[in-house]
Amino acid sequence: MRNQAAVTLFKRGENCWDIARANRAAVLVDGANYFSALRGALRSAQHSIFIVGWDIDSRVTLCGEEGEPDDGLPLQLGPFLTALVEKRPELTIYLLLWDYSVIYALEREPVPSLNLDWKTPRQIKVCLDDILPLGGSHHQKIVVIDDAVAFCGGIDLTIRRWDTSAHEPDDERRRDPGGESYAPFHDLQMCVDGDCAAKLGELVRARWHAAACHAVSAVPPEQRGDPWPDALKPDFSDTKIAIARTIPAIGDEPEVREIEALYIDMIGTAEQFIYIENQFLTSDSIASSLAQRLQQKPELEVLFVSPEDHPGWLEARSMKAGRIRFMQTFEDAGVSEQVRLTYPAVGPQDDETAVMVHAKLMIVDDRCLRLGSSNLNNRSMGMDTECDLAIAAEKEDGEGGDRIAAIRNRLLAEHLGTTESKVADTFAETGSLLATVDTLNSSERRLQQFRDSGKYDGPVVQTVSQLADPERPIEAKFYVGDMFGGQPPKAIFGKLTALFLMGGFLAALALAWRYTPLADFADPEQLKPWLADIAGNEWAMLIVPLLYIAGALVIFPVTVLIAATALLFEPLQAFGIACAGALSAAAVTYAIGALCGKQFLRDLMGQRINRVSRALAKQGVLSVMAIRLVPIAPFSIINLVAGVSHIGFIPYLLGTILGMVPGIIIFTALGNRLRQMIAAPSTEDIVILIGIIIVWIAMSVGLQAVIKSRRG
C-alpha cells in the first residue's frame, strides 16, 4: 500500500498541480540548516540557478551553525553568486523577487536591482515581478538548481532569517547587516530532487517568462548531474510529492486555489490530531473546516504553534484581529477544548523570549505532511502566489508514516527542549498531542499556551483587515510600491552616461533637420531637383527605398521623403515607392534596435523595461498604428524603441502599414481631392471619408485579433 494516500488524497487539477516523484526529500529545520545545505547545492550548479522569493537580499550570509565555511567562496549571497558565475561562465543565475509594496520598504534591502543586478556579472539576471493584481504579493520561496535539486518552503534568502534550532535568546550571530540583533526565528524548508525538482523548475521558468517576457529552456536530463548537498541526509526516499499552488486571476487566466483545496481535504481526513505551525491564522474557510471536523471527531486534537504577537500597526490590526476571529470559530462551534494555541518560548518564564514562528507546516495523523510558503490566512488562499509540497503515507506504510512522525517529534523536541525519543515515548504513552506538550514543557523551553485579547470587529479593524488580508485581489492604493531609484555606483555611471549621450545625439539629430541650416535641405521642394534624375532611372523603384533607409539612419524626417516621392512620381507609382521605402526603413531600424538596444537597456534598467514592453506587445498592431498616427517621437526613434520592445516583427510591420498608409495616400493620391473636400465638402465626400475610417479601423482590430489568435 506504499503511497496509497498520495493516490487517494492528492487530485491533480483540484488540490494539487501535479504529483511528481522524488528520489530524495529532506525537511530542513531553521535557517542555519537551510543556508548550509543550500550553499552546498549551489556550489555544484553547472547550468542554471533560479531563486524565486518574496524578498532576496544580497547581504544574507550563507552559512550553517558551524560558522563561515572553508570552501574559499564569499560568505554573503551577492558576492557568492558572483564568484560562482566567474568560475563557471556557462552558469546563468535568475533572481526573481516581488516588486514589493512601500509598506515593506524599510524591511528590505534598498534598491535591490542596484545590488543584485548592476553590481553583478551579466550571467546574473534580475527581475522584479510586478504582474500580480494590485495588492497581491509573490510569496513563493523556491530555489531550483539545474532542474535536478530544488528547495521549497517558507524561508526567503533575506536578512533576519538565520538562526539555529537552539534559538538562544542572546545568540550574537543573530544580527542583521546593520548590526542590530533580532529575535529567535523558526522556519522550515524542504529539499527535493528527481522529477519533483524538475517540475518546480517548470514552475519557476513559467514565472520568469511571465514577468520578464523571456523564455528559458529546461536543463536536459542528461546534463543535470547531482547537486544534492553531500551532508544532507534524506528523510524520505523514492516518494511521491504533490505540488499545490495559489495564483490569483491574472488577465484572462483563471485563479488557482489548490492550496486551499488541499488544506480542506487534509483536514477532512483527520482522525487523531492535526499539528500546525504557521505565522498567520486568519482564513475563514480553514477555520470553518477545522471546526466542522472537530465536531465530527470529538477525539480529534489540533495544536497550533504561532508567533506570540504580530508587531506593527498593520499586522496588529489585521492578522492579530483575524487570529482572534479564527479562534472564536472554535468557541462558537463548542470545540475549543480540543484546540490549543501556543507560541515557542525560551528562557525562564519570568524573563522569557518568544520565538518568531515563520514556518508553514501541517501534519495530519502522521499520515500526511505538507510545508511550503502558504500561511493560514485569506491572502494565501487566493490573493498571493504560493507553493506547497505535500507527502502522504498510509499508517500501514512503515517508512512513510514513521518518517513523518519523526519530523513531528523533531519539531516538538525543539520547542520543548527535549529529545525526539522522549517525545515519541510520551506520545505513545498518552496518545495525545496536547498531553505530550503538557508533560514535556520545561522551565527553559516550552510551548506556551495563550489567548489573544482585544477586538476584531471594529470598523477600523474590519477596513484594515479587508485591505491587508483579502480573499481575492482588491484595489488598494496604499499597496502600490515600486522600488526603483537610488544613485548607481561609480562603476555603473558609464551606462547612464552612454544612455544620455545616445538619447541626446538622436534628439539633436532630429531637431537639426528642423531648426538648423539642414532644415533647408529637409524640404520637399529642395529635394525635388536633386531627386529628379533618379525618377527617370529604371532603378528608381530600388534606389528610392534605399534613400529612405539611409535617411532613417540619420533621423531624416520620413514625411519629407514621402512628400518628395509624391512630387516626383505619378500617384500610384509614388504610393508603391513610398510604402516600400517607409517599410524598408522601418524594418532596418527595428532590427538595429532589436540587435543592439535590448541588452543595453536591460543592463541599465534591469527587467523593468519589460513592463512598458509587455503593455505595447499585448496590442501590438493597434499600439504601433496609434503611434504612427499620433507620433510621439521621430520615425526612426520609434522604430528603434519598437525593436527593443517585445512587439513582434509581423505585428510591428502591420501596425506600421495601417498607421502610415492613410498619410501616404493623402500625400501621393488625394492631395488635390483633399483640398477640394476641405474647401467645399459635399455629403458624398463626408460619407466616403467616414466609410474609409470605419473600414480602416475594422481592418486594424481584425488584424490584431488574428495576431492574438495565432499567438494563442
Side-chain angles (χ1 to χ4, degrees):
M1 298 185 63
R2 181 178 176 82
N3 283 320
Q4 181 64 30
V7 176
T8 57
L9 175 61
F10 303 145
K11 303 178 183 67
R12 286 185 177 90
E14 296 182 20
N15 61 18
C16 66
W17 174 45
D18 207 347
I19 305 167
R21 185 172 296 279
N23 302 316
R24 294 165 290 189
V27 174
L28 296 157
V29 182
D30 296 312
N33 290 321
Y34 171 45
F35 289 167
S36 177
L38 177 63
R39 186 183 184 94
L42 291 173
R43 285 200 307 262
S44 300
Q46 299 294 324
H47 303 285
S48 70
I49 296 170
F50 278 89
I51 299 177
V52 172
W54 181 84
D55 187 20
I56 304 172
D57 197 305
S58 66
R59 303 167 295 176
V60 67
T61 55
L62 287 181
C63 68
E65 189 170 353
E66 67 282 357
E68 187 168 354
D70 59 357
D71 55 16
L73 294 171
L75 184 61
Q76 292 187 325
L77 177 65
F80 175 83
L81 296 178
T82 296
L84 285 184
V85 297
E86 289 174 347
K87 289 178 61 177
R88 297 191 180 95
E90 69 279 7
L91 176 64
T92 304
I93 299 176
Y94 303 90
L95 306 179
L96 183 64
L97 65 157
W98 174 41
D99 192 359
Y100 51 92
S101 166
V102 293
I103 293 173
Y104 300 105
L106 297 179
E107 300 179 21
R108 302 171 65 155
E109 182 176 24
V111 199
S113 59
L114 185 70
N115 295 289
L116 293 170
D117 193 3
W118 288 15
K119 290 184 178 180
T120 55
R122 182 168 295 185
Q123 294 154 269
I124 299 177
K125 303 182 183 299
V126 179
C127 181
L128 301 184
D129 197 337
D130 65 348
I131 68 170
L132 285 184
L134 193 63
S137 75
H138 283 298
H139 201 242
Q140 297 165 341
K141 300 95 165 53
I142 305 172
V143 178
V144 180
I145 301 165
D146 288 341
D147 287 336
V149 165
F151 297 84
C152 178
I155 307 179
D156 283 299
L157 290 183
T158 191
I159 60 174
R160 304 185 189 94
R161 298 293 191 267
W162 188 96
D163 199 7
T164 70
S165 295
H167 300 307
E168 295 288 348
D170 301 317
D171 193 332
E172 284 297 317
R173 298 171 296 180
R174 202 170 54 240
R175 291 186 178 275
D176 64 21
E180 295 293 325
S181 62
Y182 56 93
F185 196 92
H186 173 68
D187 211 338
L188 301 168
Q189 199 85 350
M190 185 182 287
C191 181
V192 299
D193 69 356
D195 293 340
C196 187
K199 197 68 183 178
L200 288 171
E202 181 181 337
L203 186 155
V204 297
R205 285 193 303 274
R207 268 200 58 186
W208 180 268
H209 189 197
C213 298
H214 171 224
V216 180
S217 300
V219 178
E222 65 274 11
Q223 297 180 18
R224 289 175 185 171
D226 184 19
W228 184 272
D230 294 335
L232 182 59
K233 181 181 177 181
D235 292 308
F236 303 91
S237 60
D238 191 25
T239 189
K240 291 181 179 178
I241 299 179
I243 304 171
R245 307 162 302 163
T246 295
I247 306 174
I250 303 174
D252 296 332
E253 295 296 322
E255 66 177 356
V256 174
R257 299 178 75 96
E258 298 156 358
I259 293 278
E260 181 181 50
L262 184 56
Y263 273 123
I264 293 172
D265 289 347
M266 286 176 62
I267 292 167
T269 69
E271 300 286 343
Q272 185 182 7
F273 72 86
I274 302 176
Y275 176 67
I276 295 172
E277 293 187 359
N278 210 280
Q279 181 184 8
F280 299 127
L281 305 173
T282 68
S283 171
D284 297 325
S285 62
I286 303 303
S288 298
S289 296
L290 285 168
Q292 182 179 0
R293 190 61 179 175
L294 287 163
Q295 289 175 327
Q296 295 170 349
K297 300 288 181 179
E299 67 279 10
L300 179 64
E301 299 176 331
V302 179
L303 175 63
F304 292 106
V305 179
S306 286
E308 177 190 18
D309 207 356
H310 294 305
W313 186 92
L314 182 63
E315 288 188 357
R317 285 159 179 79
S318 57
M319 299 306 178
K320 184 175 181 179
R323 188 167 67 187
I324 296 173
R325 187 183 66 249
F326 186 94
M327 298 303 294
Q328 185 64 39
T329 304
F330 307 126
E331 292 277 356
D332 297 342
V335 295
S336 58
E337 294 301 315
Q338 299 166 248
V339 179
R340 183 172 301 179
L341 177 61
T342 67
Y343 67 89
V346 295
Q349 291 197 8
D350 59 351
D351 188 28
E352 72 177 21
T353 299
V355 177
M356 172 60 191
V357 177
H358 195 262
K360 298 93 169 57
L361 168 124
M362 175 185 280
I363 295 175
V364 176
D365 293 339
D366 291 338
R367 290 185 294 104
C368 186
L369 172 150
R370 72 179 290 165
L371 69 84
S373 65
S374 68
N375 290 303
L376 290 181
N377 60 357
N378 295 317
R379 298 184 62 90
S380 289
M381 301 302 121
M383 179 72 168
D384 299 337
T385 56
E386 306 284 6
C387 184
D388 286 6
L389 303 181
I391 297 174
E394 292 292 328
K395 289 183 178 180
E396 293 84 359
D397 180 354
E399 179 185 0
D402 288 349
R403 295 312 305 158
I404 294 175
I407 292 168
R408 171 184 53 81
N409 293 337
R410 184 197 316 172
L411 293 169
L412 285 173
E414 173 184 320
H415 298 317
L416 298 171
T418 186
T419 63
E420 295 173 34
S421 60
K422 187 66 174 176
V423 173
D425 292 343
T426 305
F427 182 74
E429 292 171 5
T430 63
S432 165
L433 207 60
L434 303 186
T436 298
V437 171
D438 291 336
T439 301
L440 296 178
N441 263 335
S442 68
S443 59
E444 293 299 320
R445 300 286 294 271
R446 60 198 165 277
L447 286 174
Q448 190 77 45
Q449 185 174 358
F450 73 107
R451 181 185 178 91
D452 289 310
S453 60
K455 295 182 178 180
Y456 65 87
D457 57 354
V460 174
V461 169
Q462 289 182 358
T463 300
V464 172
S465 296
Q466 289 171 0
L467 294 175
D469 189 30
E471 295 182 7
R472 284 180 169 82
I474 57 171
E475 295 294 322
K477 291 183 179 180
F478 70 84
Y479 277 113
V480 177
D482 185 13
M483 289 300 292
F484 178 61
Q487 293 297 319
K490 185 175 181 180
I492 304 301
F493 187 70
K495 290 183 179 180
L496 288 174
T497 302
L499 178 67
F500 290 131
L501 288 176
M502 180 186 297
F505 172 74
L506 293 176
L509 198 54
L511 293 173
W513 297 110
R514 177 173 296 186
Y515 298 112
T516 72
L518 288 175
D520 294 335
F521 187 71
D523 184 332
E525 293 294 337
Q526 295 293 329
L527 283 180
K528 186 177 178 180
W530 186 73
L531 296 176
D533 292 339
I534 297 177
N537 193 298
E538 60 181 356
W539 296 99
M541 293 288 290
L542 176 62
I543 296 173
V544 175
L546 291 177
L547 292 176
Y548 275 72
I549 295 174
L553 295 178
V554 294
I555 323 295
F556 189 84
V558 71
T559 52
V560 174
L561 289 170
I562 294 172
T565 304
L567 291 173
L568 289 169
F569 299 92
E570 293 298 320
L572 187 60
Q573 190 181 24
F575 174 78
I577 293 175
C579 285
L583 288 177
S584 299
V588 169
T589 43
Y590 173 96
I592 292 173
L595 293 174
C596 303
K598 195 169 293 187
Q599 189 60 54
F600 173 79
L601 286 181
R602 283 181 179 165
D603 286 347
L604 180 72
M605 300 175 64
Q607 299 294 336
R608 290 182 172 277
I609 192 173
N610 292 311
R611 181 182 306 166
V612 176
S613 178
R614 275 199 307 268
L616 290 174
K618 286 180 180 178
Q619 301 291 337
V621 172
L622 298 179
S623 298
V624 177
M625 184 193 73
I627 293 174
R628 296 302 188 196
L629 287 172
V630 187
I632 58 175
F635 173 78
S636 300
I637 294 177
I638 290 174
N639 301 336
L640 291 169
V641 172
V644 174
S645 80
H646 290 90
I647 296 175
F649 183 65
I650 298 302
Y652 165 77
L653 281 186
L654 290 174
T656 297
I657 292 170
L658 289 170
M660 296 194 69
V661 162
I664 294 175
I665 290 174
I666 290 172
F667 272 114
T668 62
L670 295 181
N672 292 331
R673 179 66 182 272
L674 185 65
R675 283 191 291 271
Q676 294 172 6
M677 292 168 63
I678 294 173
S682 67
T683 303
E684 180 184 359
D685 291 333
I686 294 174
V687 170
I688 290 174
L689 276 177
I690 293 175
I692 291 173
I693 292 171
I694 292 174
V695 171
W696 175 50
I697 292 175
M699 288 177 59
S700 304
V701 174
L703 281 170
Q704 179 62 37
V706 170
I707 293 295
K708 279 190 172 182
S709 175
R710 292 182 62 85
R711 184 187 300 146

